[in-house]
Amino acid sequence: MLDVIITGGGPTGMMLAGELRLHGLNVVVLEKLAEPTGQARALGLHVRSIEILDQRGLLERFLSLGKRIETGGIFAGLTKPWPESLDTAHGYMLGIPQTVTERLLAEHAVDAGAEIRRACALVGLSQDEDGVTAELSDGTRLRSRYLVGCDGGRSTVRRLLGVGFPGEPSRTETLLGEMELTASPQELAAVTAEVRKTQFRFGAMPLGAGTYRVIVPAEGVAEDRTVAPTLDEFRKQLRAYAGTDFGAHSPRWLSRFGDATRLVEQYRTGSVLLAGDAAHIHPPTGGQGLNLGLQDAFNLGWKLAAEVHGWAPEGLLDSYHSERHPVAAAVLDNTRAQMQLLAPEPGAQAVRRLLAELLDFEVVNRHLIEKVTAVSVRYDVGAGHELLGRRLRDVRLASGRLYERMHAGRGLLLDQTGGGRLSLVGWADRVDLVADVSEELDVPALLLRPDGHVAWVGEDQLGLSRQLLRWFGAARL
């Protein structure tokens, strides 16, 4: 029997596979496509995603293929300077196509020992007290202790589970694609600037060699959004908004997306869980979708591994839903707000102009950037110190960086007391002790979960032991 089956070989599935392999789980990723689509719908990674890559020692390979962006503009396209006081060592967005992100995460998962089966679709599943049976399109079956649906907004796993997916259907639709344009850069810039005075879902971003990433509002909402638009449809809409189709030809790929906003009622149903777009869909405003999925996987991986290895305390796996569901709900709300700010009506544009003024205040700018980048996420781990429940930025230690000590995906006790009063006896197989100091932290000691969120702050062994028991199960003596 497998430990975990992951359906969906996108960034969320590949991130989760890598996390599970850190803990030695037997993992298979099922991907219905024979080859990656080559469609780069998402174009960047936000601060929290950059941090989790750094925590696993993966960031350098992403930085080498991406571009740092520090100009702001990620909230409804309102361009303001990046806030200087953002609580992170990575105060930038990393411009990198989804295709590259997916490839790098797949390489990492395979290097870690995960098996990826392409052209392999899930068509049925059933559960019993021992695990999950997955029925595949080729007629074979697989058994595993758990199954995680990372199979996108039209998730087969979610449909087979029959869980509720409440929200709002698409009211507007946008065309997105990559194609060649014959118009000059000067003409493109001038026309785009004029159109974007009233229509913000419009643009042509150069990709090199005469190829552009084109976005333009659709004529309406398609009855079947699985059917890709045609080049003629793009040309028609470009002419409707810009008065020209810019000589569009030779498309690489064409797609459409809507503004449907939905959140699954439960992230877990028995031994089956949902992550990424399978659990939540929303407009791409702010570029949060891919990032939200990566962060789902980062929260779930160590908890699922704990269940499989038998040391998970009661309720740990259920905390995946209780922690991530509110985060997704907040993302849905801020994308709803952004969509209103992108509307061309005079009232919406008046609000947009007012918000642009407010963003000149550092505290407002930082607040909105923290929302989109997930820096402000705080899980409910109980009352106490202001750091509790928050992720900890990468701080400098006397002997290096904090994130360098987190590559193995284990818990971490940072002990700055210097007296050796704190002990991990009974938990050393799950938590690492780092006896070091940081001038950036004014706390005697703190306990980090494997996902980098603070579970305890203090200096007494009794308090530490209680939180070790809560998050890492019973001591093994």
Side-chain angles (χ1 to χ4, degrees):
M1 177 184 284
L2 297 166
D3 291 323
V4 181
I5 294 172
I6 298 171
T7 64
T12 299
M14 294 305 183
M15 183 75 204
L16 180 59
E19 286 295 288
L20 296 175
R21 282 302 304 158
L22 279 181
H23 300 278
L25 270 60
N26 189 2
V27 179
V28 169
V29 179
L30 306 179
E31 170 52 55
K32 66 180 181 180
L33 298 179
E35 298 292 339
T37 66
Q39 296 186 10
R41 287 175 171 258
L43 293 176
L45 298 174
H46 286 314
V47 172
R48 185 56 189 144
S49 297
I50 294 168
E51 288 182 340
I52 67 179
L53 292 173
D54 196 8
Q55 286 176 238
R56 295 298 182 259
L58 303 175
L59 183 56
E60 287 305 315
R61 66 185 75 176
F62 282 80
L63 289 176
S64 68
L65 297 173
K67 178 182 179 181
R68 297 189 187 205
I69 303 171
E70 303 176 15
T71 55
I74 61 176
F75 193 89
L78 291 164
T79 303
K80 296 291 180 178
W82 197 275
E84 296 180 359
S85 56
L86 204 63
D87 181 32
T88 182
H90 299 284
Y92 55 90
M93 180 179 176
L94 183 64
I96 187 168
Q98 179 177 336
T99 49
V100 178
T101 295
E102 185 176 312
R103 175 173 62 81
L104 293 177
L105 290 174
E107 290 173 357
H108 168 62
V110 171
D111 290 345
E115 179 185 356
I116 301 174
R117 300 186 187 180
R118 292 195 174 273
C120 191
L122 178 81
V123 296
L125 64 82
S126 58
Q127 300 188 60
D128 55 41
E129 60 183 12
D130 296 319
V132 183
T133 299
E135 301 175 25
L136 309 184
S137 55
D138 62 3
T140 61
R141 296 186 176 190
L142 290 177
R143 284 282 292 171
S144 66
R145 296 185 63 179
Y146 292 93
L147 184 146
V148 185
C150 304
D151 50 345
R154 299 183 180 92
S155 170
T156 297
V157 175
R158 188 184 65 236
R159 175 177 58 80
L160 292 171
L161 285 176
V163 295
F165 199 40
E168 306 94 49
S170 288
R171 296 178 176 85
T172 62
E173 189 168 277
T174 307
L175 305 183
L176 174 68
E178 294 180 4
M179 63 199 70
E180 294 183 32
L181 304 178
T182 59
S184 69
Q186 294 77 13
E187 178 187 356
L188 280 167
V191 174
T192 298
E194 185 64 27
V195 174
R196 285 182 62 84
K197 289 179 180 179
T198 56
Q199 178 51 257
F200 297 97
R201 291 185 294 123
F202 183 94
M205 183 178 72
L207 301 176
T211 300
Y212 290 79
R213 181 182 178 93
V214 177
I215 181 171
V216 61
E219 186 173 14
V221 177
E223 291 185 9
D224 184 359
R225 291 184 52 249
T226 64
V227 177
T230 65
L231 181 59
D232 284 342
E233 189 175 348
F234 264 87
R235 287 171 171 162
K236 177 183 177 181
Q237 291 307 105
L238 286 170
R239 289 193 295 268
Y241 283 90
T244 173
D245 62 12
F246 302 114
H249 67 98
S250 305
R252 291 181 179 177
W253 57 267
L254 304 173
S255 67
R256 64 179 84 240
F257 64 85
D259 62 345
T261 305
R262 298 185 182 277
L263 178 59
V264 75
E265 290 178 341
Q266 287 292 329
Y267 278 35
R268 179 188 180 190
T269 303
S271 297
V272 181
L273 302 102
L274 299 168
D277 288 353
H280 38 71
I281 58 172
H282 53 83
T285 45
Q288 298 170 88
L290 183 151
N291 292 271
L292 188 58
L294 295 184
Q295 293 154 29
D296 284 347
F298 204 59
N299 182 282
L300 175 59
W302 68 280
K303 296 174 180 179
L304 199 51
E307 287 286 340
V308 172
H309 286 308
W311 58 258
E314 183 179 357
L316 181 66
L317 190 54
D318 286 330
S319 73
Y320 168 59
H321 169 87
S322 63
E323 291 182 347
R324 295 305 297 171
H325 192 275
V327 172
V331 170
L332 266 59
D333 272 353
N334 85 56
T335 57
R336 287 183 179 106
Q338 290 185 70
M339 286 300 291
Q340 292 298 314
L341 293 169
L342 293 173
E345 289 76 22
Q349 290 312 298
V351 176
R352 181 183 178 86
R353 289 190 293 272
L354 176 59
L355 183 59
E357 293 178 13
L358 294 175
L359 282 171
D360 288 331
F361 293 93
E362 170 78 5
V363 64
V364 177
N365 189 15
R366 185 179 70 249
H367 178 74
L368 293 181
I369 295 297
E370 285 178 347
K371 276 185 173 295
V372 173
T373 61
V375 169
S376 62
V377 169
R378 183 176 190 173
Y379 299 139
D380 184 8
V381 302
H385 195 278
E386 64 179 3
L387 288 177
L388 286 176
R390 297 190 181 278
R391 100 284 178 261
L392 189 63
R393 72 177 185 277
D394 186 26
V395 298
R396 289 282 176 181
L397 306 174
S399 60
R401 297 189 300 117
L402 176 68
Y403 283 7
E404 291 173 336
R405 307 299 188 91
M406 304 186 71
H407 293 179
R410 292 155 53 92
L412 183 146
L413 173 64
L414 177 60
D415 184 359
Q416 300 193 113
T417 63
R421 298 194 303 272
L422 300 176
S423 170
L424 288 176
V425 173
W427 288 282
D429 60 328
R430 287 152 279 171
V431 184
D432 294 324
L433 173 62
V434 176
D436 207 333
V437 294
S438 172
E439 295 181 357
E440 301 176 45
L441 287 176
D442 185 21
V443 295
L446 54 79
L447 176 67
L448 293 179
R449 308 186 322 184
D451 59 3
H453 283 257
V454 179
W456 172 81
V457 175
E459 55 186 324
D460 63 298
Q461 182 64 48
L462 180 59
L464 171 62
S465 296
R466 286 173 176 166
Q467 294 306 314
L468 287 167
L469 179 63
R470 176 183 178 184
W471 295 107
F472 298 96
R476 293 174 178 172
L477 303 176

